[in-house]
Amino acid sequence: MNPRIEVNYRKLVHNTEVLQEKAKEHGIELAAVTKCFCGIPEIAQGYVDGGVKYLADSRISNLKKLQKLPNPKILLRIPMLSEVKDVVAYADISLNSELKTMRVLNEEALRLGVTHKVILMVDLGDLREGIFDEDEVLHAAKEVEKLSNISLHGIGVNLTCYGGVIPSNKNLTKLEALGTAIEKEIGRTLELFSGGNSSSVYLLDNQEMPERINHLRIGEAIVLGTESAYGKNIENTHQDIFQMVAEIIELKEKPSMPIGEIGMDAFGNTPSFEDEGIRKRAILAVGRQDIGSYDIFPVDTSMSILGASSDHLILDLTDTAGDFEVGDEIRFNLRYGALLSLMTSEYVTKKIIY
Ligand SMILES: *Cc1c(COP(=O)(O)O)cnc(C)c1O
């Protein structure tokens, strides 16, 4: 069924192994992040086959789907108070920054007779989640330590998400120092120093990762083979594990300039055009409801994307060598935004190629 997104399983396992090996050389355990494919367990199995220890997702509903896989699960998004029951039930570890929430998690863990592990998130300047003030970090750690059924498992940071702040030896050394200060305060060592996401991967190659960072939460670097600090491809990885396939429903020669007075397009923007004469145009049965953004790239680079409305994607095929017909399939590589949208769209078939 079209449109579809294809997942090359062999390539996914390969990328996982490459990242896993890279991390291992630096004494780092990986949490492989499943949110970019909505936690589909058959895809997550590729991470497991690639040798990662943890599976992580920002949504508890995705972790729920992964219960059959034996790996410890990490909830990445700070829990909602309204979901603590599920958090304790389906996540072994959660990232937290609010004492109030951790106290409610404790009550639930106590009720179930289990211990729930937390990673205390600190904010080193990116200004998304985490405790910003150093004294408040120490205070929170001490308070968490008093909770009977919560175990303070580690400290973590998230960067390059809101503020675009790049992880560096300098800011991750700050994380180390904060962790060490907590250890002094509570009189024992912390298990995990979680040093960020795919934007931290370049520090491994540059041999700049601080000594005590022993954990990274990695999605993009595995699934797209790109690090997210500078957007570079990671050596020896595939960038085309996930591809979108869409079908031509109309193929016609048309002028490149619309005829008539130009008002707004379907999304309220006023479009502008250049006159390039008559062009060979294809309409594909996929649209912005599925791809979200324009983060898609035809595998045949002689094609170009002219635009998209909710359910239609318009391509210019004039410069391609191929002979196309209605019903033909066109293949695209994806960036993160499109991958996320396509996996989320119920109109898109997900197909694993083994
Ligand atoms: C999504 C997410 C990650 C993984 O990010 P990638 O850039 O895909 O590696 C790591 N940590 C947190 C808190 C996240 O929300």
Side-chain angles (χ1 to χ4, degrees), residues 33 35-36 58 76-77 95 121 128-129 157-158 161 196-199 217-221 228 336:
V33 175
K35 67 188 183 202
C36 32
S58 46
L76 295 173
R77 186 169 64 191
L95 309 188
M121 294 300 279
R128 200 177 77 178
E129 73 272 49
V157 68
N158 197 56
C161 266
N197 56 45
S198 294
S199 63
R217 313 171 306 267
I218 303 292
E220 176 172 341
S228 52
Y336 197 82

Side-chain angles (χ1 to χ4, degrees), residues 253-269:
E253 309 237 313
K254 292 188 189 182
S256 37
M257 295 284 283
I259 320 297
E261 188 190 346
I262 306 292
M264 287 186 293
D265 67 15
F267 292 88
N269 307 307

Side-chain angles (χ1 to χ4, degrees), residues 67-137:
Q67 288 308 299
K68 288 223 176 81
L69 298 176
N71 311 56
K73 319 282 183 310
I74 303 179
L75 179 65
L76 295 173
R77 186 169 64 191
I78 308 298
M80 294 184 266
L81 279 173
S82 59
E83 68 179 356
V84 290
K85 261 194 163 68
D86 282 347
V87 175
V88 175
Y90 299 111
D92 302 281
I93 304 173
S94 59
L95 309 188
N96 283 272
S97 62
E98 292 289 350
L99 260 179
K100 177 175 176 177
T101 307
M102 288 186 274
R103 290 195 171 112
V104 180
L105 282 168
N106 183 53
E107 283 165 27
E108 183 59 23
L110 183 62
R111 215 177 56 78
L112 294 181
V114 298
T115 301
H116 181 75
K117 294 171 179 161
V118 300
I119 295 177
L120 192 63
M121 294 300 279
V122 300
D123 188 337
L124 297 178
D126 197 56
L127 306 183
R128 200 177 77 178
E129 73 272 49
I131 304 175
F132 189 75
D133 180 75
E134 206 172 315
D135 292 335
E136 200 187 324
V137 172

Side-chain angles (χ1 to χ4, degrees), residues 2 12 31 55 100 117 221 271 292 299 347:
N2 289 332
L12 177 65
L55 295 174
K100 177 175 176 177
K117 294 171 179 161
V299 170
Y347 306 105

